[in-house]
Amino acid sequence: QVQLVESGGGLVQSGRSLRLACAASGRTFSILGMGWFRQAPGKERELVSAITWSGLSTYYADSVKGRFTITRDNAKNTVYMQMNSLKPEDTAVYLCAAAREIYYNSRRHPSSYDYWGQGTQVTVSS
């Protein structure tokens, strides 16, 4: 089993930055890919960014390209997402997810991920 714990969320003004962290524990050797999803009230869960554990491949939603950066630290079993130039439309609960297998064509779908964190709230005020 794998446990994921997110941190780093909060309330910030538009244009500011946050860095989210997702710490994995347990059978972390089984993880091949990780992603950050977000879910706003009344909206579907959306993949924001993803990374293979090797770090060789990354994905970003069009809405965050150039603003968000996903990285991982294998030694700490932690994935990060640096969020710059935050906008009110970025407001959501952000959830970390981990996958035991990676399929590039399906990585945007929550069903492709096997483990989930509890979520951390990001609120961007205007």
Side-chain angles (χ1 to χ4, degrees):
Q1 295 293 324
V2 173
Q3 295 80 46
L4 304 175
V5 179
E6 303 100 329
S7 62
L11 172 64
V12 297
Q13 291 184 319
S14 180
R16 299 288 189 175
S17 299
L18 285 173
R19 189 180 74 159
L20 304 184
C22 175
S25 60
R27 294 163 54 95
T28 58
F29 53 83
S30 68
I31 298 173
L32 294 183
M34 299 188 71
W36 285 98
F37 285 79
R38 66 185 180 188
Q39 188 162 25
K43 296 184 178 180
E44 294 184 349
R45 190 167 295 184
E46 171 192 31
L47 180 66
V48 179
S49 65
I51 189 169
T52 57
W53 198 239
S54 68
L56 296 177
S57 180
T58 57
Y59 165 89
Y60 297 96
D62 288 342
S63 60
V64 306
K65 285 182 179 178
R67 299 189 297 123
F68 292 8
T69 304
I70 186 170
T71 58
R72 91 281 185 269
D73 186 333
N74 187 53
K76 295 182 178 180
N77 290 317
T78 300
V79 64
Y80 304 90
M81 186 164 68
Q82 179 69 37
M83 308 164 67
N84 296 329
S85 302
L86 283 163
K87 305 174 181 179
E89 49 262 46
D90 295 318
T91 296
V93 173
Y94 284 73
L95 303 103
C96 178
R100 293 176 294 180
E101 296 179 306
I102 51 174
Y103 300 100
Y104 293 108
N105 291 338
S106 301
R107 59 187 167 186
R108 296 177 65 184
H109 301 285
S111 61
S112 296
Y113 298 81
D114 303 289
Y115 309 101
W116 293 85
Q118 82 288 352
T120 185
Q121 177 71 44
V122 172
T123 302
V124 184
S125 65
S126 58

